[in-house]
PDB file of all heavy atoms in Angstrom:
ATOM      1  N   PHE A 140     -64.149  -8.199  27.230  1.00  0.00           N
ATOM      2  CA  PHE A 140     -63.632  -7.277  26.232  1.00  0.00           C
ATOM      3  C   PHE A 140     -62.305  -7.768  25.699  1.00  0.00           C
ATOM      4  O   PHE A 140     -61.514  -8.382  26.443  1.00  0.00           O
ATOM      5  CB  PHE A 140     -63.426  -5.879  26.799  1.00  0.00           C
ATOM      6  CG  PHE A 140     -64.696  -5.134  27.168  1.00  0.00           C
ATOM      7  CD1 PHE A 140     -65.932  -5.741  27.126  1.00  0.00           C
ATOM      8  CD2 PHE A 140     -64.618  -3.804  27.552  1.00  0.00           C
ATOM      9  CE1 PHE A 140     -67.093  -5.056  27.464  1.00  0.00           C
ATOM     10  CE2 PHE A 140     -65.750  -3.108  27.893  1.00  0.00           C
ATOM     11  CZ  PHE A 140     -67.002  -3.735  27.844  1.00  0.00           C
ATOM     12  N   THR A 141     -62.016  -7.465  24.434  1.00  0.00           N
ATOM     13  CA  THR A 141     -60.751  -7.835  23.819  1.00  0.00           C
ATOM     14  C   THR A 141     -60.216  -6.632  23.038  1.00  0.00           C
ATOM     15  O   THR A 141     -60.922  -6.116  22.158  1.00  0.00           O
ATOM     16  CB  THR A 141     -60.905  -9.037  22.892  1.00  0.00           C
ATOM     17  OG1 THR A 141     -61.427 -10.154  23.607  1.00  0.00           O
ATOM     18  CG2 THR A 141     -59.527  -9.428  22.311  1.00  0.00           C
ATOM     19  N   ILE A 142     -59.000  -6.238  23.366  1.00  0.00           N
ATOM     20  CA  ILE A 142     -58.342  -5.175  22.608  1.00  0.00           C
ATOM     21  C   ILE A 142     -57.390  -5.814  21.596  1.00  0.00           C
ATOM     22  O   ILE A 142     -56.737  -6.820  21.890  1.00  0.00           O
ATOM     23  CB  ILE A 142     -57.593  -4.219  23.553  1.00  0.00           C
ATOM     24  CG1 ILE A 142     -57.034  -3.018  22.793  1.00  0.00           C
ATOM     25  CG2 ILE A 142     -56.490  -4.931  24.331  1.00  0.00           C
ATOM     26  CD1 ILE A 142     -56.461  -1.940  23.691  1.00  0.00           C
ATOM     27  N   SER A 143     -57.346  -5.268  20.421  1.00  0.00           N
ATOM     28  CA  SER A 143     -56.461  -5.771  19.393  1.00  0.00           C
ATOM     29  C   SER A 143     -56.013  -4.605  18.511  1.00  0.00           C
ATOM     30  O   SER A 143     -56.547  -3.499  18.587  1.00  0.00           O
ATOM     31  CB  SER A 143     -57.152  -6.851  18.550  1.00  0.00           C
ATOM     32  OG  SER A 143     -58.289  -6.325  17.870  1.00  0.00           O
ATOM     33  N   ARG A 144     -55.008  -4.885  17.710  1.00  0.00           N
ATOM     34  CA  ARG A 144     -54.508  -3.840  16.820  1.00  0.00           C
ATOM     35  C   ARG A 144     -54.147  -4.432  15.475  1.00  0.00           C
ATOM     36  O   ARG A 144     -53.745  -5.600  15.351  1.00  0.00           O
ATOM     37  CB  ARG A 144     -53.290  -3.122  17.437  1.00  0.00           C
ATOM     38  CG  ARG A 144     -52.070  -4.004  17.647  1.00  0.00           C
ATOM     39  CD  ARG A 144     -51.075  -3.338  18.598  1.00  0.00           C
ATOM     40  NE  ARG A 144     -50.635  -2.042  18.110  1.00  0.00           N
ATOM     41  CZ  ARG A 144     -50.087  -1.094  18.858  1.00  0.00           C
ATOM     42  NH1 ARG A 144     -49.894  -1.303  20.159  1.00  0.00           N
ATOM     43  NH2 ARG A 144     -49.723   0.053  18.319  1.00  0.00           N
ATOM     44  N   ASP A 145     -54.306  -3.607  14.449  1.00  0.00           N
ATOM     45  CA  ASP A 145     -53.901  -3.954  13.112  1.00  0.00           C
ATOM     46  C   ASP A 145     -53.041  -2.792  12.629  1.00  0.00           C
ATOM     47  O   ASP A 145     -53.538  -1.791  12.147  1.00  0.00           O
ATOM     48  CB  ASP A 145     -55.109  -4.157  12.194  1.00  0.00           C
ATOM     49  CG  ASP A 145     -54.718  -4.687  10.831  1.00  0.00           C
ATOM     50  OD1 ASP A 145     -53.562  -4.533  10.417  1.00  0.00           O
ATOM     51  OD2 ASP A 145     -55.607  -5.257  10.149  1.00  0.00           O
ATOM     52  N   ASN A 146     -51.735  -2.954  12.787  1.00  0.00           N
ATOM     53  CA  ASN A 146     -50.818  -1.860  12.474  1.00  0.00           C
ATOM     54  C   ASN A 146     -50.844  -1.523  10.968  1.00  0.00           C
ATOM     55  O   ASN A 146     -50.621  -0.368  10.599  1.00  0.00           O
ATOM     56  CB  ASN A 146     -49.403  -2.203  12.906  1.00  0.00           C
ATOM     57  CG  ASN A 146     -49.251  -2.201  14.414  1.00  0.00           C
ATOM     58  OD1 ASN A 146     -49.975  -1.511  15.127  1.00  0.00           O
ATOM     59  ND2 ASN A 146     -48.294  -2.959  14.909  1.00  0.00           N
ATOM     60  N   ALA A 147     -51.102  -2.518  10.136  1.00  0.00           N
ATOM     61  CA  ALA A 147     -51.189  -2.256   8.707  1.00  0.00           C
ATOM     62  C   ALA A 147     -52.325  -1.310   8.372  1.00  0.00           C
ATOM     63  O   ALA A 147     -52.254  -0.550   7.416  1.00  0.00           O
ATOM     64  CB  ALA A 147     -51.331  -3.556   7.926  1.00  0.00           C
ATOM     65  N   LYS A 148     -53.392  -1.368   9.161  1.00  0.00           N
ATOM     66  CA  LYS A 148     -54.540  -0.488   8.969  1.00  0.00           C
ATOM     67  C   LYS A 148     -54.488   0.726   9.900  1.00  0.00           C
ATOM     68  O   LYS A 148     -55.394   1.565   9.865  1.00  0.00           O
ATOM     69  CB  LYS A 148     -55.850  -1.236   9.215  1.00  0.00           C
ATOM     70  CG  LYS A 148     -56.107  -2.349   8.209  1.00  0.00           C
ATOM     71  CD  LYS A 148     -57.427  -3.047   8.488  1.00  0.00           C
ATOM     72  CE  LYS A 148     -57.717  -4.134   7.475  1.00  0.00           C
ATOM     73  NZ  LYS A 148     -58.992  -4.827   7.750  1.00  0.00           N
ATOM     74  N   ASN A 149     -53.442   0.809  10.723  1.00  0.00           N
ATOM     75  CA  ASN A 149     -53.298   1.905  11.670  1.00  0.00           C
ATOM     76  C   ASN A 149     -54.531   2.040  12.561  1.00  0.00           C
ATOM     77  O   ASN A 149     -55.018   3.139  12.831  1.00  0.00           O
ATOM     78  CB  ASN A 149     -53.015   3.221  10.949  1.00  0.00           C
ATOM     79  CG  ASN A 149     -51.880   4.007  11.562  1.00  0.00           C
ATOM     80  OD1 ASN A 149     -50.973   3.443  12.183  1.00  0.00           O
ATOM     81  ND2 ASN A 149     -51.914   5.328  11.409  1.00  0.00           N
ATOM     82  N   THR A 150     -55.014   0.897  13.001  1.00  0.00           N
ATOM     83  CA  THR A 150     -56.292   0.828  13.707  1.00  0.00           C
ATOM     84  C   THR A 150     -56.176  -0.042  14.960  1.00  0.00           C
ATOM     85  O   THR A 150     -55.501  -1.064  14.946  1.00  0.00           O
ATOM     86  CB  THR A 150     -57.384   0.271  12.798  1.00  0.00           C
ATOM     87  OG1 THR A 150     -57.499   1.100  11.627  1.00  0.00           O
ATOM     88  CG2 THR A 150     -58.720   0.218  13.492  1.00  0.00           C
ATOM     89  N   VAL A 151     -56.869   0.382  15.997  1.00  0.00           N
ATOM     90  CA  VAL A 151     -57.025  -0.388  17.212  1.00  0.00           C
ATOM     91  C   VAL A 151     -58.504  -0.691  17.393  1.00  0.00           C
ATOM     92  O   VAL A 151     -59.352   0.136  17.105  1.00  0.00           O
ATOM     93  CB  VAL A 151     -56.477   0.371  18.441  1.00  0.00           C
ATOM     94  CG1 VAL A 151     -56.734  -0.396  19.712  1.00  0.00           C
ATOM     95  CG2 VAL A 151     -54.988   0.634  18.255  1.00  0.00           C
ATOM     96  N   TYR A 152     -58.780  -1.898  17.880  1.00  0.00           N
ATOM     97  CA  TYR A 152     -60.145  -2.344  18.052  1.00  0.00           C
ATOM     98  C   TYR A 152     -60.432  -2.695  19.488  1.00  0.00           C
ATOM     99  O   TYR A 152     -59.544  -3.036  20.272  1.00  0.00           O
ATOM    100  CB  TYR A 152     -60.425  -3.588  17.192  1.00  0.00           C
ATOM    101  CG  TYR A 152     -60.162  -3.408  15.719  1.00  0.00           C
ATOM    102  CD1 TYR A 152     -58.969  -3.834  15.169  1.00  0.00           C
ATOM    103  CD2 TYR A 152     -61.111  -2.821  14.889  1.00  0.00           C
ATOM    104  CE1 TYR A 152     -58.727  -3.674  13.810  1.00  0.00           C
ATOM    105  CE2 TYR A 152     -60.872  -2.648  13.548  1.00  0.00           C
ATOM    106  CZ  TYR A 152     -59.681  -3.088  13.008  1.00  0.00           C
ATOM    107  OH  TYR A 152     -59.438  -2.930  11.667  1.00  0.00           O
ATOM    108  N   LEU A 153     -61.687  -2.605  19.824  1.00  0.00           N
ATOM    109  CA  LEU A 153     -62.176  -3.108  21.104  1.00  0.00           C
ATOM    110  C   LEU A 153     -63.433  -3.920  20.850  1.00  0.00           C
ATOM    111  O   LEU A 153     -64.473  -3.370  20.463  1.00  0.00           O
ATOM    112  CB  LEU A 153     -62.478  -1.962  22.067  1.00  0.00           C
ATOM    113  CG  LEU A 153     -62.988  -2.405  23.435  1.00  0.00           C
ATOM    114  CD1 LEU A 153     -61.871  -3.053  24.236  1.00  0.00           C
ATOM    115  CD2 LEU A 153     -63.551  -1.216  24.217  1.00  0.00           C
ATOM    116  N   GLN A 154     -63.323  -5.217  21.030  1.00  0.00           N
ATOM    117  CA  GLN A 154     -64.479  -6.099  20.916  1.00  0.00           C
ATOM    118  C   GLN A 154     -65.121  -6.212  22.285  1.00  0.00           C
ATOM    119  O   GLN A 154     -64.474  -6.658  23.236  1.00  0.00           O
ATOM    120  CB  GLN A 154     -64.065  -7.481  20.389  1.00  0.00           C
ATOM    121  CG  GLN A 154     -65.236  -8.449  20.238  1.00  0.00           C
ATOM    122  CD  GLN A 154     -66.222  -8.018  19.185  1.00  0.00           C
ATOM    123  OE1 GLN A 154     -65.850  -7.739  18.048  1.00  0.00           O
ATOM    124  NE2 GLN A 154     -67.491  -7.958  19.572  1.00  0.00           N
ATOM    125  N   MET A 155     -66.375  -5.831  22.373  1.00  0.00           N
ATOM    126  CA  MET A 155     -67.096  -5.808  23.624  1.00  0.00           C
ATOM    127  C   MET A 155     -68.217  -6.831  23.564  1.00  0.00           C
ATOM    128  O   MET A 155     -69.105  -6.710  22.723  1.00  0.00           O
ATOM    129  CB  MET A 155     -67.661  -4.407  23.886  1.00  0.00           C
ATOM    130  CG  MET A 155     -66.640  -3.288  23.747  1.00  0.00           C
ATOM    131  SD  MET A 155     -67.388  -1.649  23.639  1.00  0.00           S
ATOM    132  CE  MET A 155     -68.061  -1.485  25.298  1.00  0.00           C
ATOM    133  N   CYS A 156     -68.186  -7.797  24.463  1.00  0.00           N
ATOM    134  CA  CYS A 156     -69.192  -8.833  24.521  1.00  0.00           C
ATOM    135  C   CYS A 156     -69.803  -8.886  25.902  1.00  0.00           C
ATOM    136  O   CYS A 156     -69.257  -8.350  26.862  1.00  0.00           O
ATOM    137  CB  CYS A 156     -68.580 -10.209  24.194  1.00  0.00           C
ATOM    138  SG  CYS A 156     -67.855 -10.335  22.547  1.00  0.00           S
ATOM    139  N   SER A 157     -70.968  -9.528  25.973  1.00  0.00           N
ATOM    140  CA  SER A 157     -71.682  -9.665  27.243  1.00  0.00           C
ATOM    141  C   SER A 157     -71.827  -8.326  27.951  1.00  0.00           C
ATOM    142  O   SER A 157     -71.535  -8.194  29.146  1.00  0.00           O
ATOM    143  CB  SER A 157     -70.975 -10.687  28.147  1.00  0.00           C
ATOM    144  OG  SER A 157     -70.902 -11.942  27.520  1.00  0.00           O
ATOM    145  N   LEU A 158     -72.274  -7.351  27.226  1.00  0.00           N
ATOM    146  CA  LEU A 158     -72.326  -6.007  27.749  1.00  0.00           C
ATOM    147  C   LEU A 158     -73.349  -5.883  28.875  1.00  0.00           C
ATOM    148  O   LEU A 158     -74.413  -6.507  28.849  1.00  0.00           O
ATOM    149  CB  LEU A 158     -72.646  -5.012  26.627  1.00  0.00           C
ATOM    150  CG  LEU A 158     -71.470  -4.702  25.730  1.00  0.00           C
ATOM    151  CD1 LEU A 158     -71.933  -4.098  24.408  1.00  0.00           C
ATOM    152  CD2 LEU A 158     -70.505  -3.747  26.425  1.00  0.00           C
ATOM    153  N   LYS A 159     -72.999  -5.063  29.832  1.00  0.00           N
ATOM    154  CA  LYS A 159     -73.823  -4.807  31.008  1.00  0.00           C
ATOM    155  C   LYS A 159     -74.201  -3.342  31.073  1.00  0.00           C
ATOM    156  O   LYS A 159     -73.493  -2.510  30.526  1.00  0.00           O
ATOM    157  CB  LYS A 159     -73.046  -5.166  32.292  1.00  0.00           C
ATOM    158  CG  LYS A 159     -72.500  -6.584  32.336  1.00  0.00           C
ATOM    159  CD  LYS A 159     -71.639  -6.791  33.559  1.00  0.00           C
ATOM    160  CE  LYS A 159     -71.060  -8.196  33.607  1.00  0.00           C
ATOM    161  NZ  LYS A 159     -70.196  -8.364  34.807  1.00  0.00           N
ATOM    162  N   PRO A 160     -75.291  -3.016  31.733  1.00  0.00           N
ATOM    163  CA  PRO A 160     -75.657  -1.617  31.853  1.00  0.00           C
ATOM    164  C   PRO A 160     -74.550  -0.757  32.449  1.00  0.00           C
ATOM    165  O   PRO A 160     -74.404   0.421  32.051  1.00  0.00           O
ATOM    166  CB  PRO A 160     -76.885  -1.642  32.779  1.00  0.00           C
ATOM    167  CG  PRO A 160     -77.505  -2.966  32.492  1.00  0.00           C
ATOM    168  CD  PRO A 160     -76.340  -3.906  32.278  1.00  0.00           C
ATOM    169  N   GLU A 161     -73.762  -1.294  33.358  1.00  0.00           N
ATOM    170  CA  GLU A 161     -72.676  -0.540  33.961  1.00  0.00           C
ATOM    171  C   GLU A 161     -71.529  -0.265  32.995  1.00  0.00           C
ATOM    172  O   GLU A 161     -70.605   0.464  33.334  1.00  0.00           O
ATOM    173  CB  GLU A 161     -72.150  -1.222  35.228  1.00  0.00           C
ATOM    174  CG  GLU A 161     -71.779  -2.683  35.034  1.00  0.00           C
ATOM    175  CD  GLU A 161     -72.903  -3.630  35.474  1.00  0.00           C
ATOM    176  OE1 GLU A 161     -74.070  -3.360  35.146  1.00  0.00           O
ATOM    177  OE2 GLU A 161     -72.594  -4.631  36.149  1.00  0.00           O
ATOM    178  N   ASP A 162     -71.550  -0.852  31.810  1.00  0.00           N
ATOM    179  CA  ASP A 162     -70.578  -0.519  30.779  1.00  0.00           C
ATOM    180  C   ASP A 162     -70.926   0.767  30.058  1.00  0.00           C
ATOM    181  O   ASP A 162     -70.112   1.246  29.244  1.00  0.00           O
ATOM    182  CB  ASP A 162     -70.481  -1.657  29.747  1.00  0.00           C
ATOM    183  CG  ASP A 162     -69.921  -2.929  30.336  1.00  0.00           C
ATOM    184  OD1 ASP A 162     -68.957  -2.866  31.123  1.00  0.00           O
ATOM    185  OD2 ASP A 162     -70.430  -4.025  29.967  1.00  0.00           O
ATOM    186  N   THR A 163     -72.080   1.326  30.318  1.00  0.00           N
ATOM    187  CA  THR A 163     -72.480   2.572  29.696  1.00  0.00           C
ATOM    188  C   THR A 163     -71.494   3.672  30.012  1.00  0.00           C
ATOM    189  O   THR A 163     -71.243   3.964  31.185  1.00  0.00           O
ATOM    190  CB  THR A 163     -73.892   2.981  30.132  1.00  0.00           C
ATOM    191  OG1 THR A 163     -74.835   2.001  29.670  1.00  0.00           O
ATOM    192  CG2 THR A 163     -74.268   4.334  29.550  1.00  0.00           C
ATOM    193  N   ALA A 164     -70.908   4.278  29.006  1.00  0.00           N
ATOM    194  CA  ALA A 164     -69.871   5.287  29.201  1.00  0.00           C
ATOM    195  C   ALA A 164     -69.490   5.874  27.858  1.00  0.00           C
ATOM    196  O   ALA A 164     -69.859   5.342  26.797  1.00  0.00           O
ATOM    197  CB  ALA A 164     -68.639   4.689  29.882  1.00  0.00           C
ATOM    198  N   VAL A 165     -68.733   6.964  27.917  1.00  0.00           N
ATOM    199  CA  VAL A 165     -68.049   7.457  26.750  1.00  0.00           C
ATOM    200  C   VAL A 165     -66.689   6.753  26.682  1.00  0.00           C
ATOM    201  O   VAL A 165     -65.950   6.742  27.661  1.00  0.00           O
ATOM    202  CB  VAL A 165     -67.844   8.979  26.789  1.00  0.00           C
ATOM    203  CG1 VAL A 165     -67.059   9.463  25.573  1.00  0.00           C
ATOM    204  CG2 VAL A 165     -69.203   9.669  26.839  1.00  0.00           C
ATOM    205  N   TYR A 166     -66.404   6.131  25.558  1.00  0.00           N
ATOM    206  CA  TYR A 166     -65.177   5.365  25.388  1.00  0.00           C
ATOM    207  C   TYR A 166     -64.171   6.154  24.573  1.00  0.00           C
ATOM    208  O   TYR A 166     -64.484   6.684  23.502  1.00  0.00           O
ATOM    209  CB  TYR A 166     -65.487   4.035  24.711  1.00  0.00           C
ATOM    210  CG  TYR A 166     -66.138   3.035  25.634  1.00  0.00           C
ATOM    211  CD1 TYR A 166     -67.436   3.221  26.078  1.00  0.00           C
ATOM    212  CD2 TYR A 166     -65.437   1.919  26.083  1.00  0.00           C
ATOM    213  CE1 TYR A 166     -68.038   2.331  26.964  1.00  0.00           C
ATOM    214  CE2 TYR A 166     -66.011   1.016  26.950  1.00  0.00           C
ATOM    215  CZ  TYR A 166     -67.306   1.224  27.388  1.00  0.00           C
ATOM    216  OH  TYR A 166     -67.888   0.313  28.249  1.00  0.00           O
ATOM    217  N   TYR A 167     -62.938   6.210  25.084  1.00  0.00           N
ATOM    218  CA  TYR A 167     -61.891   6.998  24.472  1.00  0.00           C
ATOM    219  C   TYR A 167     -60.701   6.124  24.074  1.00  0.00           C
ATOM    220  O   TYR A 167     -60.255   5.282  24.856  1.00  0.00           O
ATOM    221  CB  TYR A 167     -61.373   8.060  25.450  1.00  0.00           C
ATOM    222  CG  TYR A 167     -62.382   9.086  25.877  1.00  0.00           C
ATOM    223  CD1 TYR A 167     -63.155   8.897  27.019  1.00  0.00           C
ATOM    224  CD2 TYR A 167     -62.567  10.254  25.140  1.00  0.00           C
ATOM    225  CE1 TYR A 167     -64.080   9.836  27.404  1.00  0.00           C
ATOM    226  CE2 TYR A 167     -63.504  11.192  25.534  1.00  0.00           C
ATOM    227  CZ  TYR A 167     -64.252  10.988  26.668  1.00  0.00           C
ATOM    228  OH  TYR A 167     -65.176  11.927  27.063  1.00  0.00           O
ATOM    229  N   CYS A 168     -60.199   6.378  22.904  1.00  0.00           N
ATOM    230  CA  CYS A 168     -58.975   5.749  22.423  1.00  0.00           C
ATOM    231  C   CYS A 168     -57.777   6.655  22.755  1.00  0.00           C
ATOM    232  O   CYS A 168     -57.866   7.880  22.603  1.00  0.00           O
ATOM    233  CB  CYS A 168     -59.091   5.529  20.917  1.00  0.00           C
ATOM    234  SG  CYS A 168     -57.635   4.835  20.106  1.00  0.00           S
ATOM    235  N   ASN A 169     -56.694   6.057  23.171  1.00  0.00           N
ATOM    236  CA  ASN A 169     -55.499   6.801  23.547  1.00  0.00           C
ATOM    237  C   ASN A 169     -54.262   6.117  22.968  1.00  0.00           C
ATOM    238  O   ASN A 169     -54.105   4.905  23.096  1.00  0.00           O
ATOM    239  CB  ASN A 169     -55.391   6.896  25.075  1.00  0.00           C
ATOM    240  CG  ASN A 169     -54.034   7.400  25.544  1.00  0.00           C
ATOM    241  OD1 ASN A 169     -53.185   6.601  25.938  1.00  0.00           O
ATOM    242  ND2 ASN A 169     -53.845   8.710  25.499  1.00  0.00           N
ATOM    243  N   ALA A 170     -53.410   6.895  22.348  1.00  0.00           N
ATOM    244  CA  ALA A 170     -52.120   6.439  21.853  1.00  0.00           C
ATOM    245  C   ALA A 170     -51.033   7.087  22.683  1.00  0.00           C
ATOM    246  O   ALA A 170     -51.001   8.314  22.813  1.00  0.00           O
ATOM    247  CB  ALA A 170     -51.955   6.789  20.364  1.00  0.00           C
ATOM    248  N   ASP A 171     -50.127   6.276  23.214  1.00  0.00           N
ATOM    249  CA  ASP A 171     -49.148   6.797  24.167  1.00  0.00           C
ATOM    250  C   ASP A 171     -47.751   6.344  23.818  1.00  0.00           C
ATOM    251  O   ASP A 171     -47.530   5.165  23.499  1.00  0.00           O
ATOM    252  CB  ASP A 171     -49.510   6.340  25.570  1.00  0.00           C
ATOM    253  CG  ASP A 171     -48.581   6.907  26.622  1.00  0.00           C
ATOM    254  OD1 ASP A 171     -48.683   8.095  26.917  1.00  0.00           O
ATOM    255  OD2 ASP A 171     -47.749   6.124  27.133  1.00  0.00           O
ATOM    256  N   ARG A 172     -46.803   7.271  23.872  1.00  0.00           N
ATOM    257  CA  ARG A 172     -45.398   6.962  23.754  1.00  0.00           C
ATOM    258  C   ARG A 172     -44.611   7.997  24.520  1.00  0.00           C
ATOM    259  O   ARG A 172     -45.190   8.946  25.077  1.00  0.00           O
ATOM    260  CB  ARG A 172     -44.942   6.884  22.294  1.00  0.00           C
ATOM    261  CG  ARG A 172     -45.122   8.154  21.510  1.00  0.00           C
ATOM    262  CD  ARG A 172     -44.546   8.027  20.099  1.00  0.00           C
ATOM    263  NE  ARG A 172     -43.098   7.794  20.130  1.00  0.00           N
ATOM    264  CZ  ARG A 172     -42.325   7.858  19.065  1.00  0.00           C
ATOM    265  NH1 ARG A 172     -42.842   8.127  17.877  1.00  0.00           N
ATOM    266  NH2 ARG A 172     -41.026   7.620  19.184  1.00  0.00           N
ATOM    267  N   ASP A 173     -43.305   7.841  24.559  1.00  0.00           N
ATOM    268  CA  ASP A 173     -42.476   8.685  25.410  1.00  0.00           C
ATOM    269  C   ASP A 173     -42.576  10.164  25.086  1.00  0.00           C
ATOM    270  O   ASP A 173     -42.471  11.021  25.992  1.00  0.00           O
ATOM    271  CB  ASP A 173     -41.015   8.214  25.359  1.00  0.00           C
ATOM    272  CG  ASP A 173     -40.450   8.176  23.959  1.00  0.00           C
ATOM    273  OD1 ASP A 173     -41.223   8.299  22.969  1.00  0.00           O
ATOM    274  OD2 ASP A 173     -39.225   7.985  23.847  1.00  0.00           O
ATOM    275  N   ILE A 174     -42.816  10.506  23.831  1.00  0.00           N
ATOM    276  CA  ILE A 174     -42.847  11.909  23.446  1.00  0.00           C
ATOM    277  C   ILE A 174     -44.212  12.556  23.577  1.00  0.00           C
ATOM    278  O   ILE A 174     -44.361  13.755  23.337  1.00  0.00           O
ATOM    279  CB  ILE A 174     -42.302  12.125  22.028  1.00  0.00           C
ATOM    280  CG1 ILE A 174     -43.151  11.397  20.994  1.00  0.00           C
ATOM    281  CG2 ILE A 174     -40.847  11.674  21.961  1.00  0.00           C
ATOM    282  CD1 ILE A 174     -42.799  11.712  19.560  1.00  0.00           C
ATOM    283  N   GLY A 175     -45.216  11.776  23.933  1.00  0.00           N
ATOM    284  CA  GLY A 175     -46.533  12.343  24.112  1.00  0.00           C
ATOM    285  C   GLY A 175     -47.670  11.389  23.862  1.00  0.00           C
ATOM    286  O   GLY A 175     -47.452  10.244  23.459  1.00  0.00           O
ATOM    287  N   SER A 176     -48.875  11.867  24.131  1.00  0.00           N
ATOM    288  CA  SER A 176     -50.077  11.079  23.955  1.00  0.00           C
ATOM    289  C   SER A 176     -51.069  11.765  23.042  1.00  0.00           C
ATOM    290  O   SER A 176     -51.045  12.989  22.900  1.00  0.00           O
ATOM    291  CB  SER A 176     -50.758  10.822  25.300  1.00  0.00           C
ATOM    292  OG  SER A 176     -50.069   9.877  26.076  1.00  0.00           O
ATOM    293  N   HIS A 177     -51.939  10.963  22.457  1.00  0.00           N
ATOM    294  CA  HIS A 177     -53.015  11.489  21.629  1.00  0.00           C
ATOM    295  C   HIS A 177     -54.315  10.806  22.016  1.00  0.00           C
ATOM    296  O   HIS A 177     -54.327   9.636  22.435  1.00  0.00           O
ATOM    297  CB  HIS A 177     -52.722  11.235  20.149  1.00  0.00           C
ATOM    298  CG  HIS A 177     -51.433  11.773  19.678  1.00  0.00           C
ATOM    299  ND1 HIS A 177     -51.231  13.114  19.395  1.00  0.00           N
ATOM    300  CD2 HIS A 177     -50.222  11.178  19.492  1.00  0.00           C
ATOM    301  CE1 HIS A 177     -49.992  13.315  19.024  1.00  0.00           C
ATOM    302  NE2 HIS A 177     -49.345  12.163  19.075  1.00  0.00           N
ATOM    303  N   TRP A 178     -55.374  11.556  21.898  1.00  0.00           N
ATOM    304  CA  TRP A 178     -56.695  11.098  22.339  1.00  0.00           C
ATOM    305  C   TRP A 178     -57.711  11.168  21.225  1.00  0.00           C
ATOM    306  O   TRP A 178     -57.696  12.100  20.412  1.00  0.00           O
ATOM    307  CB  TRP A 178     -57.206  11.923  23.502  1.00  0.00           C
ATOM    308  CG  TRP A 178     -56.477  11.702  24.775  1.00  0.00           C
ATOM    309  CD1 TRP A 178     -55.319  12.304  25.177  1.00  0.00           C
ATOM    310  CD2 TRP A 178     -56.857  10.802  25.816  1.00  0.00           C
ATOM    311  NE1 TRP A 178     -54.953  11.833  26.419  1.00  0.00           N
ATOM    312  CE2 TRP A 178     -55.873  10.916  26.831  1.00  0.00           C
ATOM    313  CE3 TRP A 178     -57.914   9.912  25.991  1.00  0.00           C
ATOM    314  CZ2 TRP A 178     -55.932  10.175  28.005  1.00  0.00           C
ATOM    315  CZ3 TRP A 178     -57.974   9.172  27.154  1.00  0.00           C
ATOM    316  CH2 TRP A 178     -56.997   9.297  28.141  1.00  0.00           C
TER     317      TRP A 178
END
């Protein structure tokens, strides 16, 4: 897996390769800073 960000697009990406059955899950994005988090 590779995480990346494009701040100009205000977007975060997750490139997932060689996926396995055990990768099956609900995937959540989280933004975190000192004043709080968002999900």
Side-chain angles (χ1 to χ4, degrees):
F140 291 7
T141 303
I142 186 171
S143 62
R144 64 196 301 160
D145 187 339
N146 289 333
K148 296 181 178 179
N149 226 28
T150 301
V151 176
Y152 303 98
L153 180 70
Q154 180 65 53
M155 310 165 68
C156 299
S157 301
L158 283 161
K159 305 174 181 179
E161 52 263 44
D162 294 319
T163 296
V165 178
Y166 284 70
Y167 298 92
C168 177
N169 168 260
D171 184 73
R172 61 176 297 191
D173 55 350
I174 62 172
S176 286
H177 305 281
W178 289 86

